[in-house]
Amino acid sequence: MKGFSRLTVIDHPLVKRDVALLRDRRTPSHQFRAVLRRTASLMAYEVTRALPTRGVKLSTPLERTRGTVIAQKVVLVPILRAGLGLVGGFVEVLPDARVGHIGLYRDEQTLQPVDYYFKVPRHLGTALVIILDPMLATGGSAAAAIGYLKRKGAKDICLVSLVAAPQGVRTVLRAHPSVRLYTCALDRTLNKHGYILPGLGDAGDRLFGTE
Ligand code: PRP
Ligand code: URA
Protein backbone atom coordinates (compact mmCIF):
# COMPACT_ATOMS: atom_id res chain seq x y z
CA MET A 1 0.00 0.00 0.00
CA LYS A 2 1.51 3.33 -1.13
CA GLY A 3 2.91 5.28 1.82
CA PHE A 4 2.05 2.53 4.29
CA SER A 5 4.77 -0.04 3.75
CA ARG A 6 3.95 -1.82 7.05
CA LEU A 7 0.27 -2.24 6.08
CA THR A 8 -1.07 -5.32 4.28
CA VAL A 9 -4.56 -5.06 2.83
CA ILE A 10 -6.03 -8.55 2.56
CA ASP A 11 -8.07 -8.35 -0.62
CA HIS A 12 -8.93 -12.00 -1.28
CA PRO A 13 -12.35 -12.33 -2.98
CA LEU A 14 -13.80 -14.31 -0.04
CA VAL A 15 -12.68 -11.59 2.35
CA LYS A 16 -14.10 -8.83 0.16
CA ARG A 17 -17.44 -10.63 0.02
CA ASP A 18 -17.48 -10.91 3.82
CA VAL A 19 -16.56 -7.25 4.32
CA ALA A 20 -19.55 -6.29 2.16
CA LEU A 21 -21.85 -8.43 4.33
CA LEU A 22 -20.43 -6.86 7.49
CA ARG A 23 -20.81 -3.33 6.14
CA ASP A 24 -24.46 -3.88 5.16
CA ARG A 25 -26.74 -2.28 7.74
CA ARG A 26 -29.35 -5.02 7.13
CA THR A 27 -27.01 -7.77 8.41
CA PRO A 28 -28.42 -8.86 11.81
CA SER A 29 -26.21 -9.51 14.85
CA HIS A 30 -26.28 -13.29 14.58
CA GLN A 31 -25.08 -13.17 10.98
CA PHE A 32 -22.58 -10.38 11.75
CA ARG A 33 -21.05 -12.59 14.45
CA ALA A 34 -20.81 -15.63 12.17
CA VAL A 35 -19.36 -13.72 9.22
CA LEU A 36 -16.82 -11.88 11.40
CA ARG A 37 -15.63 -15.20 12.79
CA ARG A 38 -15.27 -16.66 9.30
CA THR A 39 -13.40 -13.58 8.06
CA ALA A 40 -11.05 -13.84 11.04
CA SER A 41 -10.04 -17.35 9.99
CA LEU A 42 -9.35 -16.13 6.47
CA MET A 43 -7.26 -13.25 7.85
CA ALA A 44 -5.34 -15.62 10.08
CA TYR A 45 -3.88 -17.35 7.01
CA GLU A 46 -2.37 -14.08 5.80
CA VAL A 47 -1.23 -12.83 9.20
CA THR A 48 0.60 -16.08 10.00
CA ARG A 49 2.17 -16.51 6.57
CA ALA A 50 5.72 -15.78 7.84
CA LEU A 51 5.53 -17.81 11.06
CA PRO A 52 8.75 -19.80 11.53
CA THR A 53 8.43 -23.57 11.22
CA ARG A 54 10.54 -26.54 12.29
CA GLY A 55 10.85 -29.98 10.72
CA VAL A 56 9.89 -33.03 12.81
CA LYS A 57 10.13 -36.75 12.27
CA LEU A 58 6.90 -38.76 12.32
CA SER A 59 5.46 -42.04 11.19
CA THR A 60 2.47 -42.41 8.90
CA PRO A 61 0.69 -45.79 9.11
CA LEU A 62 3.03 -46.85 6.28
CA GLU A 63 6.49 -45.36 6.83
CA ARG A 64 8.72 -42.77 8.49
CA THR A 65 8.59 -39.25 7.05
CA ARG A 66 9.06 -35.64 8.03
CA GLY A 67 6.45 -33.05 8.96
CA THR A 68 6.30 -29.45 10.08
CA VAL A 69 5.42 -27.74 13.35
CA ILE A 70 5.07 -24.04 14.12
CA ALA A 71 8.23 -22.84 15.87
CA GLN A 72 6.97 -19.63 17.50
CA LYS A 73 4.39 -19.20 20.24
CA VAL A 74 1.38 -17.12 19.28
CA VAL A 75 -0.52 -14.87 21.67
CA LEU A 76 -3.84 -13.38 20.59
CA VAL A 77 -4.93 -10.19 22.31
CA PRO A 78 -8.45 -8.99 21.50
CA ILE A 79 -9.32 -5.43 22.50
CA LEU A 80 -12.66 -5.60 24.32
CA ARG A 81 -15.36 -5.64 23.31
CA ALA A 82 -15.36 -5.85 19.54
CA GLY A 83 -12.04 -7.72 19.30
CA LEU A 84 -13.77 -10.73 20.86
CA GLY A 85 -15.55 -11.22 17.55
CA LEU A 86 -12.24 -12.15 15.89
CA VAL A 87 -10.92 -14.60 18.51
CA GLY A 88 -12.95 -17.67 17.50
CA GLY A 89 -11.81 -17.53 13.89
CA PHE A 90 -8.16 -17.19 14.88
CA VAL A 91 -8.14 -19.99 17.46
CA GLU A 92 -9.81 -22.28 14.96
CA VAL A 93 -6.59 -22.24 12.91
CA LEU A 94 -4.23 -21.55 15.85
CA PRO A 95 -5.52 -23.96 18.50
CA ASP A 96 -2.32 -23.65 20.60
CA ALA A 97 -2.49 -19.87 20.83
CA ARG A 98 -2.80 -18.24 24.23
CA VAL A 99 -5.27 -15.43 24.62
CA GLY A 100 -4.81 -12.20 26.58
CA HIS A 101 -7.38 -9.43 26.92
CA ILE A 102 -7.18 -5.67 26.91
CA GLY A 103 -10.26 -3.68 27.97
CA LEU A 104 -10.47 -0.24 26.34
CA TYR A 105 -13.33 1.97 25.31
CA ARG A 106 -13.28 5.27 23.51
CA ASP A 107 -14.57 8.28 25.39
CA GLU A 108 -17.37 9.61 23.15
CA GLN A 109 -16.41 13.27 23.65
CA THR A 110 -12.61 13.21 23.60
CA LEU A 111 -12.23 10.02 21.47
CA GLN A 112 -9.38 9.11 23.83
CA PRO A 113 -9.09 5.46 24.93
CA VAL A 114 -10.06 4.67 28.53
CA ASP A 115 -8.58 1.46 29.91
CA TYR A 116 -10.38 -0.87 32.31
CA TYR A 117 -8.83 -4.36 32.02
CA PHE A 118 -5.50 -5.99 31.24
CA LYS A 119 -4.62 -9.65 31.43
CA VAL A 120 -1.96 -11.15 29.19
CA PRO A 121 0.16 -14.30 29.36
CA ARG A 122 3.76 -14.13 30.60
CA HIS A 123 6.81 -14.46 28.32
CA LEU A 124 5.54 -12.23 25.53
CA GLY A 125 9.12 -11.49 24.45
CA THR A 126 9.50 -14.51 22.17
CA ALA A 127 5.89 -14.76 20.97
CA LEU A 128 4.14 -13.41 17.93
CA VAL A 129 1.58 -11.13 19.56
CA ILE A 130 -1.50 -10.55 17.41
CA ILE A 131 -3.79 -7.73 18.53
CA LEU A 132 -7.37 -8.17 17.34
CA ASP A 133 -9.80 -5.29 16.91
CA PRO A 134 -12.14 -4.97 13.92
CA MET A 135 -11.98 -1.16 13.87
CA LEU A 136 -8.88 1.04 13.52
CA ALA A 137 -10.33 4.56 13.54
CA THR A 138 -8.27 7.37 15.15
CA GLY A 139 -5.75 4.73 16.21
CA GLY A 140 -5.81 5.84 19.84
CA SER A 141 -7.01 2.48 21.20
CA ALA A 142 -4.58 0.44 19.12
CA ALA A 143 -1.61 2.69 19.96
CA ALA A 144 -2.43 2.41 23.68
CA ALA A 145 -2.77 -1.38 23.46
CA ILE A 146 0.56 -1.71 21.65
CA GLY A 147 2.25 0.53 24.23
CA TYR A 148 0.94 -1.67 27.04
CA LEU A 149 2.08 -4.89 25.34
CA LYS A 150 5.54 -3.46 24.70
CA ARG A 151 5.84 -2.56 28.39
CA LYS A 152 4.97 -6.21 29.10
CA GLY A 153 7.88 -7.29 26.90
CA ALA A 154 6.21 -7.93 23.51
CA LYS A 155 8.54 -7.38 20.56
CA ASP A 156 6.97 -9.07 17.56
CA ILE A 157 3.56 -7.40 17.25
CA CYS A 158 0.86 -7.46 14.56
CA LEU A 159 -2.30 -5.40 14.63
CA VAL A 160 -5.26 -6.97 12.84
CA SER A 161 -8.31 -4.90 11.93
CA LEU A 162 -11.18 -5.53 9.60
CA VAL A 163 -11.58 -1.92 8.50
CA ALA A 164 -9.00 0.86 8.95
CA ALA A 165 -9.00 4.60 8.42
CA PRO A 166 -5.83 6.24 7.03
CA GLN A 167 -5.69 8.45 10.15
CA GLY A 168 -5.50 5.39 12.40
CA VAL A 169 -2.83 3.68 10.31
CA ARG A 170 -0.73 6.88 10.42
CA THR A 171 -1.12 7.30 14.19
CA VAL A 172 -0.16 3.71 14.95
CA LEU A 173 2.84 3.66 12.62
CA ARG A 174 4.10 7.01 13.92
CA ALA A 175 3.97 5.78 17.52
CA HIS A 176 5.05 2.18 16.81
CA PRO A 177 6.93 1.93 13.50
CA SER A 178 7.96 -1.70 14.01
CA VAL A 179 4.39 -3.04 14.20
CA ARG A 180 2.91 -4.84 11.18
CA LEU A 181 -0.65 -3.89 10.30
CA TYR A 182 -3.23 -6.02 8.52
CA THR A 183 -6.68 -4.95 7.42
CA CYS A 184 -9.33 -6.08 4.96
CA ALA A 185 -10.22 -2.55 3.85
CA LEU A 186 -8.47 0.81 3.99
CA ASP A 187 -11.43 3.16 4.11
CA ARG A 188 -11.75 6.81 3.08
CA THR A 189 -11.75 8.83 6.29
CA LEU A 190 -13.39 9.48 9.69
CA ASN A 191 -16.51 11.53 10.36
CA LYS A 192 -16.57 14.23 13.04
CA HIS A 193 -17.53 11.66 15.68
CA GLY A 194 -14.51 9.52 14.85
CA TYR A 195 -16.47 6.86 12.93
CA ILE A 196 -14.93 5.26 9.89
CA LEU A 197 -16.47 6.15 6.49
CA PRO A 198 -17.88 4.15 4.85
CA GLY A 199 -17.02 1.74 7.70
CA LEU A 200 -19.63 -0.55 9.21
CA GLY A 201 -20.89 1.45 12.18
CA ASP A 202 -20.19 0.56 15.78
CA ALA A 203 -18.64 -2.90 15.64
CA GLY A 204 -19.27 -3.72 19.32
CA ASP A 205 -22.94 -2.78 19.08
CA ARG A 206 -23.43 -4.73 15.87
CA LEU A 207 -21.66 -7.77 17.28
CA PHE A 208 -23.49 -7.85 20.60
CA GLY A 209 -26.82 -6.29 19.62
CA THR A 210 -26.40 -3.33 21.99
CA GLU A 211 -27.10 0.31 21.09
C1 PRP B 1 -14.13 0.62 19.10
C2 PRP B 1 -13.26 -0.37 18.37
C3 PRP B 1 -11.86 0.05 18.77
C4 PRP B 1 -12.00 1.55 18.88
C5 PRP B 1 -11.41 2.17 17.65
O1 PRP B 1 -14.28 0.26 20.41
O2 PRP B 1 -13.56 -1.70 18.65
O3 PRP B 1 -11.41 -0.52 19.99
O4 PRP B 1 -13.41 1.84 18.95
O5 PRP B 1 -11.39 3.54 17.75
P1 PRP B 1 -10.04 4.39 17.80
O6 PRP B 1 -9.17 3.84 16.74
O7 PRP B 1 -10.52 5.79 17.48
O8 PRP B 1 -9.47 4.30 19.16
P2 PRP B 1 -15.27 1.06 21.40
O9 PRP B 1 -14.54 2.17 22.05
O10 PRP B 1 -16.51 1.44 20.64
O11 PRP B 1 -15.57 0.00 22.52
P3 PRP B 1 -16.47 -1.32 22.43
O12 PRP B 1 -15.75 -2.29 21.53
O13 PRP B 1 -16.50 -1.78 23.84
O14 PRP B 1 -17.84 -0.96 21.91
N1 URA C 1 -15.38 2.21 16.54
C1 URA C 1 -16.31 1.53 15.83
O1 URA C 1 -16.89 0.54 16.31
N2 URA C 1 -16.61 1.97 14.60
C2 URA C 1 -16.01 3.03 14.04
O2 URA C 1 -16.32 3.38 12.88
C3 URA C 1 -15.04 3.72 14.79
C4 URA C 1 -14.74 3.28 16.04
Side-chain angles (χ1 to χ4, degrees):
M1 184 60 44
K2 200 162 175 267
F4 292 141
S5 60
R6 306 286 293 174
L7 173 71
T8 301
V9 178
I10 303 169
D11 62 353
H12 191 284
L14 298 180
V15 169
K16 284 164 106 169
R17 170 208 59 195
D18 281 352
V19 171
L21 284 168
L22 293 164
R23 286 193 195 279
D24 193 329
R25 64 187 304 164
R26 295 169 303 180
T27 302
S29 267
H30 68 86
Q31 192 187 4
F32 190 93
R33 221 171 280 151
V35 174
L36 187 58
R37 183 189 171 107
R38 177 174 71 202
T39 317
S41 280
L42 297 172
M43 294 181 82
Y45 281 100
E46 189 59 43
V47 174
T48 56
R49 184 178 290 278
L51 265 180
T53 57
R54 185 160 40 82
V56 288
K57 292 180 183 153
L58 58 88
S59 299
T60 75
L62 300 175
E63 63 178 27
R64 300 279 298 161
T65 186
R66 290 185 68 79
T68 298
V69 293
I70 304 290
Q72 188 180 17
K73 290 207 169 72
V74 177
V75 175
L76 305 171
V77 184
I79 300 181
L80 307 179
R81 291 175 301 164
L84 291 175
L86 296 168
V87 176
F90 268 79
V91 292
E92 208 156 273
V93 293
L94 292 165
D96 296 330
R98 292 169 189 231
V99 184
H101 293 87
I102 294 183
L104 290 174
Y105 70 87
R106 228 172 42 151
D107 180 280
E108 281 180 15
Q109 307 304 324
T110 65
L111 299 184
Q112 292 305 304
V114 181
D115 58 86
Y116 59 91
Y117 188 75
F118 292 105
K119 185 81 182 175
V120 291
R122 273 184 285 187
H123 311 304
L124 291 184
T126 52
L128 170 64
V129 178
I130 305 176
I131 303 173
L132 303 174
D133 191 333
M135 309 309 281
L136 176 60
T138 66
S141 305
I146 295 164
Y148 168 76
L149 291 165
K150 280 184 169 173
R151 288 193 293 281
K152 287 283 176 187
K155 291 185 177 66
D156 189 6
I157 303 175
C158 292
L159 172 69
V160 173
S161 63
L162 184 83
V163 178
Q167 292 92 327
V169 175
R170 236 173 264 126
T171 296
V172 169
L173 288 178
R174 217 172 273 149
H176 304 289
S178 65
V179 170
R180 299 190 298 286
L181 274 61
Y182 294 85
T183 193
C184 298
L186 183 61
D187 273 9
R188 198 173 74 252
T189 191
L190 298 174
N191 71 9
K192 64 176 192 265
H193 304 293
Y195 276 83
I196 301 173
L197 296 175
L200 51 75
D202 187 304
D205 284 346
R206 296 201 59 194
L207 186 61
F208 295 110
T210 48
E211 212 158 328

